[in-house]
């Protein structure tokens, strides 16, 4: 009898280990799922889930809520596990073609929180907003669902950028360093999600990669030069940004 129990226990443990190995094997960074899947209460695989409209992150079978650090980025999730802050009636809900991650700075002395608050109030009236704002010592504010068109760099660039990121400004070198690290980590994380190369400002219009607003002005449309002037105030060169994005 004891031998049978031991064999049964061995079989059960082997099955459990097999299930764990299968789950680990399919623990991809991004899981593309059908609409409605994010409404589920339990998930088998850890990682980012994308349903064509919205993102959620799963740990321990559950969607993450509150403030969580993922891939080096301090994200903030709502109680339902979703992220975005602007309403569906603010800005555009058009899907963007995944060619560019566009990097900006806010252009004035404003923290990430101040810029996020202003953007929430004026997204439609000013016809200007981005998907993310980084500031206040490395905090990430998600304004509109990644994957949707934002109004940050002109029509053509906007339609080809599933993610645009603003960097808040500060006079503190310590705050800047935390902001910059989160800015880079967020750009890398989002580039990975949308299969966009970790190259900065390379090629002409249509070349996939991470782009500064200055590159957009040079190759597509506009007269903005950010974020390089602001980065230079704290000694960050373009080459340093290139190296940091490349990892």
């Amino acid at each position: 009898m004891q031998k049978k129990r031991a064999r049964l226990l061995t079989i059960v443990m082997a099955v459990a280990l097999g299930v764990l190995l299968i789950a680990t094997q399919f623990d991809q960074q991004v899981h593309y799922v059908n609409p409605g899947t994010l409404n589920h209460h339990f998930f088998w695989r850890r990682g980012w889930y994308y349903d064509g409209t919205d993102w959620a992150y799963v740990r321990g079978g559950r969607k993450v809520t509150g403030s969580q650090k993922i891939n080096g980025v301090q994200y903030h999730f709502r109680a339902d596990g979703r992220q975005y802050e602007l309403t569906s009636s603010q800005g555009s809900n058009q899907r963007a073609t995944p060619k560019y991650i566009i990097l900006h700075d806010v252009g004035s002395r404003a923290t990430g929180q101040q810029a996020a608050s202003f953007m929430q109030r004026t997204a439609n009236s000013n016809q200007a907003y981005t998907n993310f704002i980084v500031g206040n010592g490395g905090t990430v504010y998600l304004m509109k669902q990644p994957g949707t068109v934002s109004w940050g760099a002109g029509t053509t660039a906007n339609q080809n950028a599933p993610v645009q990121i603003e960097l808040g400004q500060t006079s503190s070198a310590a705050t800047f360093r935390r902001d910059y690290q989160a800015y880079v980590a967020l750009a890398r994380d989002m580039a990975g999600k949308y299969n966009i190369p970790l190259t900065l400002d390379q090629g002409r219009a249509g070349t996939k990669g991470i782009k500064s607003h200055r590159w957009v002005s040079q190759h597509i449309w506009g007269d903005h030069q950010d974020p390089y002037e602001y980065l230079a105030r704290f000694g960050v060169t373009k080459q340093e940004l290139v190296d940091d994005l490349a990892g």
Side-chain angles (χ1 to χ4, degrees):
M1 188 70 176
Q2 289 181 342
K3 289 183 178 180
K4 288 184 178 180
R5 287 179 178 175
R7 282 198 298 269
L8 179 60
L9 180 59
T10 300
I11 292 172
V12 169
M13 292 178 65
V15 170
L17 180 59
V19 170
L20 179 61
L21 288 173
I22 291 172
T24 303
Q25 180 181 1
F26 289 99
D27 182 19
Q28 302 170 32
Q29 184 178 10
V30 180
H31 309 298
Y32 299 93
V33 296
N34 295 325
T37 301
L38 294 187
N39 294 326
H40 295 176
H41 299 292
F42 184 82
F43 302 82
W44 282 103
R45 298 173 295 176
R46 172 176 173 154
W48 287 101
Y49 281 70
Y50 180 57
D51 67 358
T53 300
D54 205 357
W55 291 93
Y57 192 81
V58 170
R59 278 179 177 157
R62 306 288 181 179
K63 288 181 292 186
V64 165
T65 60
S67 179
Q68 294 286 338
K69 195 166 190 176
I70 302 167
N71 296 337
V73 182
Q74 192 75 27
Y75 288 101
H76 296 267
F77 298 90
R78 302 184 321 192
D80 63 359
R82 308 301 179 93
Q83 289 183 281
Y84 53 87
E85 299 295 338
L86 296 184
T87 68
S88 58
S89 64
Q90 290 179 284
S92 171
N93 296 302
Q94 176 188 350
R95 309 310 297 173
T97 301
K99 290 185 179 180
Y100 313 135
I101 305 292
I102 300 179
L103 302 180
H104 305 260
D105 71 70
V106 297
S108 60
R109 183 63 57 82
T111 67
Q113 185 177 29
Q114 290 170 336
S117 177
F118 179 77
M119 198 173 284
Q120 281 184 303
R121 297 194 308 271
T122 65
N124 282 358
S125 59
N126 284 349
Q127 295 192 322
Y129 69 92
T130 55
N131 303 95
F132 291 94
I133 301 174
V134 179
N136 294 83
T139 299
V140 174
Y141 301 89
L142 175 49
M143 305 308 299
K144 193 73 173 182
Q145 301 99 313
T148 59
V149 166
S150 55
W151 300 336
T155 301
T156 299
N158 294 342
Q159 291 175 345
N160 289 283
V163 174
Q164 298 193 50
I165 307 170
E166 293 274 8
L167 179 60
Q169 294 199 4
T170 179
S171 58
S172 164
T175 299
F176 169 81
R177 181 49 56 178
R178 292 192 294 271
D179 288 347
Y180 175 74
Q181 290 170 347
Y183 186 62
V184 169
L186 178 60
R188 285 174 51 83
D189 198 26
M190 288 292 151
K193 290 184 177 67
Y194 291 99
N195 195 30
I196 292 174
L198 293 172
T199 56
L200 179 65
D201 289 355
Q202 291 189 12
R204 297 184 179 274
T207 304
K208 280 189 172 186
I210 300 174
K211 312 296 185 183
S212 68
H213 201 171
R214 183 172 76 180
W215 179 93
V216 173
S217 297
Q218 291 171 339
H219 296 281
I220 300 177
W221 175 86
D223 58 4
H224 287 253
Q225 301 299 309
D226 52 312
Y228 294 120
E229 181 180 344
Y230 175 63
L231 296 180
R233 294 180 200 171
F234 294 91
V236 175
T237 65
K238 178 180 177 179
Q239 187 58 52
E240 182 176 350
L241 181 59
V242 168
D243 296 340
D244 290 339
L245 288 170

